């Protein structure tokens, strides 16, 4: 009789422990999923840029120096950088892809593309996401 009561108590304890572990696993999986969603969100990029106080325009200018492009005109108005670059389309798109990877808190919009001889003039607008 005492052995039956001990077995019932032991079974109850193990079942309760199993339920607690399963609940902890579900909670952990939900927490990891929420963190993963946040880490890949635009909100995370915005918060990081505000915390780090990134000088986005300086990062854009530095990225141009790494590609064979020439800045023929640039102006800043309303926290937007309007910049005209001279170079080949291949070099421009290499720069464009690099900026999209490295300066994640900005968007780049191509305004115009003009050709003059063998040169291509590309005017684009760069602005931070916080606007």
């Amino acid at each position: 009789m005492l052995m039956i009561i001990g077995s019932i108590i032991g079974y109850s304890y193990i079942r309760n422990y199993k339920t607690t572990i399963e609940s902890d696993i579900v909670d952990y999986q939900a927490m990891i999923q929420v963190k993963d969603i946040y880490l890949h969100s635009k909100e995370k990029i915005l918060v990081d840029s505000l915390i780090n106080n990134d000088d986005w325009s300086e990062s854009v200018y530095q990225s141009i120096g790494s590609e064979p492009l020439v800045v023929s005109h640039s102006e800043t108005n309303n926290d937007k950088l309007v910049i005209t670059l001279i170079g080949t389309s291949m070099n421009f798109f290499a720069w464009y892809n690099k900026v999209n990877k490295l300066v994640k808190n900005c968007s780049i919009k191509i305004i115009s593309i003009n050709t003059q001889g063998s040169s291509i003039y590309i005017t684009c607008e760069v602005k931070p996401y916080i606007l």
Side-chain angles (χ1 to χ4, degrees):
M1 180 78 165
L2 195 56
M3 204 158 163
I4 295 173
I5 293 174
S7 296
I8 292 173
I9 291 173
Y11 175 77
S12 175
Y13 175 77
I14 291 173
R15 187 172 174 183
N16 188 25
Y17 187 72
K18 180 184 173 201
T19 304
T20 302
I21 290 175
E22 287 172 350
S23 175
D24 288 347
I25 289 172
V26 169
D27 291 346
Y28 178 76
Q29 289 172 337
M31 181 181 69
I32 293 299
Q33 185 178 14
V34 168
K35 282 184 180 181
D36 186 54
I37 291 169
Y38 173 72
L39 289 175
H40 297 92
S41 68
K42 287 186 178 183
E43 291 81 9
K44 167 80 165 98
I45 295 169
L46 175 61
V47 169
D48 284 349
S49 70
L50 293 174
I51 289 173
N52 297 333
N53 198 14
D54 289 339
D55 185 6
W56 60 271
S57 62
E58 186 62 33
S59 298
V60 170
Y61 282 119
Q62 287 177 357
S63 68
I64 293 169
S66 65
E67 295 295 330
L69 295 168
V70 176
V71 178
S72 70
H73 175 76
S74 70
E75 67 181 62
T76 305
N77 56 6
N78 299 330
D79 289 333
K80 296 176 189 175
L81 177 64
V82 178
I83 193 164
T84 302
L85 301 170
I86 304 172
T88 65
S89 58
M90 187 171 84
N91 293 335
F92 172 78
F93 286 111
W95 169 79
Y96 181 86
N97 290 330
K98 179 185 251 181
V99 169
N100 279 329
K101 282 183 185 176
L102 298 177
V103 188
K104 295 183 184 239
N105 59 336
C106 291
S107 66
I108 303 171
K109 177 182 170 185
I110 298 172
I111 297 173
S112 67
I113 299 174
N114 298 314
T115 58
Q116 195 169 29
S118 63
S119 298
I120 297 175
Y121 290 74
I122 301 171
T123 304
C124 53
E125 178 183 85
V126 184
K127 63 181 179 177
Y129 285 127
I130 57 176
L131 293 177

